[in-house]
Amino acid sequence: MSIGWYLVVSALVFCIGAGGVLTRRNPLVVLLCLELMLNAANIALIAFARMWGNVDGQIFAIVVMVVAACEVCIGLGLVVAIYRRRLPIDVDELRELQG
Amino acid sequence: MTEVLFFIAAIGAIAGAVGVVSLQNPFYSVLALVFHLLSLAALFLLLQAQFVAAAQVVVYAGAVMVLYVFVVAYVGAAEAAHFKSPVGGGQRTLAIGFALALFVELCIAVLGSGLDAIGTDGPTVAFGFGGPSQLGQALLTKFLVAFEVASYLLLIAAVGAVVLARRRGGIHDEEETRVSAMAFLRPPGVGTMAEAVEGRTGTPEHRELGPPVGTGAPREDAP
């Protein structure tokens, strides 16, 4: 399959993830949609690594996975802290940082 | 054969992504994301990225998703109490329109790019491309700084998650007492350093004495 197909799949997954971030109100699902967007970037990076016949893009993908793991760690820690404080688990109601 | 595998994996990945966004129960969303990640690992294998595919399955679909499942199970009871549907009305339409516009824009960017190799399968690569040896060599020579920074990032994130999710004093209502076997062997008023810092004591005799002086906690029976 040509590289372009992989890029189209990547674009589609990224857009689904972006739509999910905008429409869902549960912070857990928002985090899952962020994962989708990061994974879409990973497909594009690995497709370009294949296109150039070079492993540098795969290193980038591994670093993206590390960043995604950190994001999950902190995000889930925040969700647990919100739950412990008996606050509503809803991004629309958690608007104290809005200014 | 490659085409068939590609379409199966791509349809699986897109179906998983749609499932994550559209399923109402967060637990099913996590399962859909696991399916999506496994399909993605198949796509990575088709792109000759064996090590990244293995890491995707083991680390991502395995460990990270287990963390998600734990948190969803922990928070899930409160979630069911006030079950919220996704946003509706104008905001939903706007979000879907934005996502479609982004997709069209990305497709235009992909198709209109000047890269000739996008229409090809990529060059023929040597055996072992994307294997652990090649990636490890690149990580420890060319990308050593990125490797070290990534490890520091993981450390900071681990410490940050523990700090965020730890049990603070004042949130839990019921008094938590931990009695170990050592507590009965010690004379009253003697404890570990951790107990002195937290102001909790093990045995009833300890509790009568109250928290030690200097911890900020009030002493009830101050002499």
PDB file of all heavy atoms in Angstrom, chain B residues 136-150:
ATOM      1  N   GLY B 136      17.653   0.646  19.027  1.00  0.00           N
ATOM      2  CA  GLY B 136      18.463   0.865  20.217  1.00  0.00           C
ATOM      3  C   GLY B 136      19.725   1.629  19.894  1.00  0.00           C
ATOM      4  O   GLY B 136      20.143   2.522  20.651  1.00  0.00           O
ATOM      5  N   GLN B 137      20.318   1.293  18.758  1.00  0.00           N
ATOM      6  CA  GLN B 137      21.524   2.014  18.359  1.00  0.00           C
ATOM      7  C   GLN B 137      21.222   3.494  18.113  1.00  0.00           C
ATOM      8  O   GLN B 137      21.966   4.371  18.564  1.00  0.00           O
ATOM      9  CB  GLN B 137      22.079   1.379  17.102  1.00  0.00           C
ATOM     10  CG  GLN B 137      23.558   1.590  16.938  1.00  0.00           C
ATOM     11  CD  GLN B 137      24.118   0.681  15.881  1.00  0.00           C
ATOM     12  OE1 GLN B 137      23.364   0.138  15.074  1.00  0.00           O
ATOM     13  NE2 GLN B 137      25.419   0.522  15.868  1.00  0.00           N
ATOM     14  N   ALA B 138      20.084   3.756  17.448  1.00  0.00           N
ATOM     15  CA  ALA B 138      19.734   5.160  17.188  1.00  0.00           C
ATOM     16  C   ALA B 138      19.426   5.890  18.490  1.00  0.00           C
ATOM     17  O   ALA B 138      19.815   7.047  18.674  1.00  0.00           O
ATOM     18  CB  ALA B 138      18.544   5.229  16.243  1.00  0.00           C
ATOM     19  N   LEU B 139      18.755   5.200  19.417  1.00  0.00           N
ATOM     20  CA  LEU B 139      18.374   5.860  20.681  1.00  0.00           C
ATOM     21  C   LEU B 139      19.593   6.205  21.517  1.00  0.00           C
ATOM     22  O   LEU B 139      19.616   7.237  22.178  1.00  0.00           O
ATOM     23  CB  LEU B 139      17.467   4.937  21.498  1.00  0.00           C
ATOM     24  CG  LEU B 139      15.967   5.118  21.395  1.00  0.00           C
ATOM     25  CD1 LEU B 139      15.279   4.149  22.314  1.00  0.00           C
ATOM     26  CD2 LEU B 139      15.573   6.515  21.772  1.00  0.00           C
ATOM     27  N   LEU B 140      20.598   5.355  21.502  1.00  0.00           N
ATOM     28  CA  LEU B 140      21.734   5.571  22.402  1.00  0.00           C
ATOM     29  C   LEU B 140      22.875   6.327  21.741  1.00  0.00           C
ATOM     30  O   LEU B 140      23.872   6.614  22.402  1.00  0.00           O
ATOM     31  CB  LEU B 140      22.232   4.239  22.946  1.00  0.00           C
ATOM     32  CG  LEU B 140      21.261   3.591  23.919  1.00  0.00           C
ATOM     33  CD1 LEU B 140      21.791   2.283  24.424  1.00  0.00           C
ATOM     34  CD2 LEU B 140      20.976   4.515  25.089  1.00  0.00           C
ATOM     35  N   THR B 141      22.758   6.634  20.468  1.00  0.00           N
ATOM     36  CA  THR B 141      23.823   7.446  19.846  1.00  0.00           C
ATOM     37  C   THR B 141      23.260   8.781  19.361  1.00  0.00           C
ATOM     38  O   THR B 141      23.556   9.825  19.930  1.00  0.00           O
ATOM     39  CB  THR B 141      24.448   6.693  18.672  1.00  0.00           C
ATOM     40  OG1 THR B 141      23.407   6.298  17.771  1.00  0.00           O
ATOM     41  CG2 THR B 141      25.189   5.465  19.136  1.00  0.00           C
ATOM     42  N   LYS B 142      22.387   8.716  18.362  1.00  0.00           N
ATOM     43  CA  LYS B 142      21.940   9.955  17.731  1.00  0.00           C
ATOM     44  C   LYS B 142      20.932  10.689  18.597  1.00  0.00           C
ATOM     45  O   LYS B 142      20.906  11.911  18.637  1.00  0.00           O
ATOM     46  CB  LYS B 142      21.310   9.597  16.378  1.00  0.00           C
ATOM     47  CG  LYS B 142      21.084  10.760  15.448  1.00  0.00           C
ATOM     48  CD  LYS B 142      20.607  10.222  14.105  1.00  0.00           C
ATOM     49  CE  LYS B 142      20.221  11.351  13.192  1.00  0.00           C
ATOM     50  NZ  LYS B 142      19.641  10.809  11.945  1.00  0.00           N
ATOM     51  N   PHE B 143      20.093   9.935  19.313  1.00  0.00           N
ATOM     52  CA  PHE B 143      19.000  10.559  20.081  1.00  0.00           C
ATOM     53  C   PHE B 143      19.209  10.355  21.577  1.00  0.00           C
ATOM     54  O   PHE B 143      18.249  10.181  22.314  1.00  0.00           O
ATOM     55  CB  PHE B 143      17.661   9.972  19.660  1.00  0.00           C
ATOM     56  CG  PHE B 143      17.327  10.257  18.233  1.00  0.00           C
ATOM     57  CD1 PHE B 143      17.517   9.300  17.263  1.00  0.00           C
ATOM     58  CD2 PHE B 143      16.846  11.496  17.861  1.00  0.00           C
ATOM     59  CE1 PHE B 143      17.219   9.571  15.953  1.00  0.00           C
ATOM     60  CE2 PHE B 143      16.545  11.767  16.559  1.00  0.00           C
ATOM     61  CZ  PHE B 143      16.742  10.808  15.598  1.00  0.00           C
ATOM     62  N   LEU B 144      20.458  10.409  22.017  1.00  0.00           N
ATOM     63  CA  LEU B 144      20.734  10.138  23.426  1.00  0.00           C
ATOM     64  C   LEU B 144      20.091  11.189  24.322  1.00  0.00           C
ATOM     65  O   LEU B 144      19.505  10.860  25.369  1.00  0.00           O
ATOM     66  CB  LEU B 144      22.243  10.097  23.655  1.00  0.00           C
ATOM     67  CG  LEU B 144      22.651   9.744  25.077  1.00  0.00           C
ATOM     68  CD1 LEU B 144      22.180   8.362  25.433  1.00  0.00           C
ATOM     69  CD2 LEU B 144      24.152   9.831  25.251  1.00  0.00           C
ATOM     70  N   VAL B 145      20.160  12.451  23.921  1.00  0.00           N
ATOM     71  CA  VAL B 145      19.595  13.516  24.751  1.00  0.00           C
ATOM     72  C   VAL B 145      18.086  13.347  24.867  1.00  0.00           C
ATOM     73  O   VAL B 145      17.509  13.428  25.969  1.00  0.00           O
ATOM     74  CB  VAL B 145      19.961  14.888  24.161  1.00  0.00           C
ATOM     75  CG1 VAL B 145      19.340  15.987  24.998  1.00  0.00           C
ATOM     76  CG2 VAL B 145      21.461  15.058  24.110  1.00  0.00           C
ATOM     77  N   ALA B 146      17.444  13.046  23.739  1.00  0.00           N
ATOM     78  CA  ALA B 146      15.992  12.845  23.773  1.00  0.00           C
ATOM     79  C   ALA B 146      15.638  11.661  24.672  1.00  0.00           C
ATOM     80  O   ALA B 146      14.657  11.701  25.428  1.00  0.00           O
ATOM     81  CB  ALA B 146      15.474  12.604  22.362  1.00  0.00           C
ATOM     82  N   PHE B 147      16.444  10.622  24.619  1.00  0.00           N
ATOM     83  CA  PHE B 147      16.217   9.431  25.449  1.00  0.00           C
ATOM     84  C   PHE B 147      16.278   9.784  26.929  1.00  0.00           C
ATOM     85  O   PHE B 147      15.396   9.425  27.719  1.00  0.00           O
ATOM     86  CB  PHE B 147      17.285   8.404  25.069  1.00  0.00           C
ATOM     87  CG  PHE B 147      17.225   7.118  25.823  1.00  0.00           C
ATOM     88  CD1 PHE B 147      16.191   6.232  25.625  1.00  0.00           C
ATOM     89  CD2 PHE B 147      18.229   6.798  26.713  1.00  0.00           C
ATOM     90  CE1 PHE B 147      16.154   5.041  26.305  1.00  0.00           C
ATOM     91  CE2 PHE B 147      18.196   5.612  27.398  1.00  0.00           C
ATOM     92  CZ  PHE B 147      17.154   4.734  27.195  1.00  0.00           C
ATOM     93  N   GLU B 148      17.333  10.547  27.307  1.00  0.00           N
ATOM     94  CA  GLU B 148      17.483  10.899  28.717  1.00  0.00           C
ATOM     95  C   GLU B 148      16.373  11.835  29.168  1.00  0.00           C
ATOM     96  O   GLU B 148      15.826  11.687  30.270  1.00  0.00           O
ATOM     97  CB  GLU B 148      18.847  11.580  28.941  1.00  0.00           C
ATOM     98  CG  GLU B 148      20.020  10.671  28.700  1.00  0.00           C
ATOM     99  CD  GLU B 148      20.098   9.574  29.736  1.00  0.00           C
ATOM    100  OE1 GLU B 148      19.574   9.764  30.834  1.00  0.00           O
ATOM    101  OE2 GLU B 148      20.665   8.521  29.415  1.00  0.00           O
ATOM    102  N   VAL B 149      16.029  12.804  28.318  1.00  0.00           N
ATOM    103  CA  VAL B 149      14.955  13.737  28.682  1.00  0.00           C
ATOM    104  C   VAL B 149      13.639  12.992  28.842  1.00  0.00           C
ATOM    105  O   VAL B 149      12.852  13.264  29.766  1.00  0.00           O
ATOM    106  CB  VAL B 149      14.855  14.859  27.625  1.00  0.00           C
ATOM    107  CG1 VAL B 149      13.620  15.692  27.853  1.00  0.00           C
ATOM    108  CG2 VAL B 149      16.077  15.737  27.694  1.00  0.00           C
ATOM    109  N   ALA B 150      13.414  11.997  27.968  1.00  0.00           N
ATOM    110  CA  ALA B 150      12.171  11.222  28.075  1.00  0.00           C
ATOM    111  C   ALA B 150      12.137  10.442  29.381  1.00  0.00           C
ATOM    112  O   ALA B 150      11.089  10.338  30.025  1.00  0.00           O
ATOM    113  CB  ALA B 150      12.050  10.275  26.886  1.00  0.00           C
TER     114      ALA B 150
END
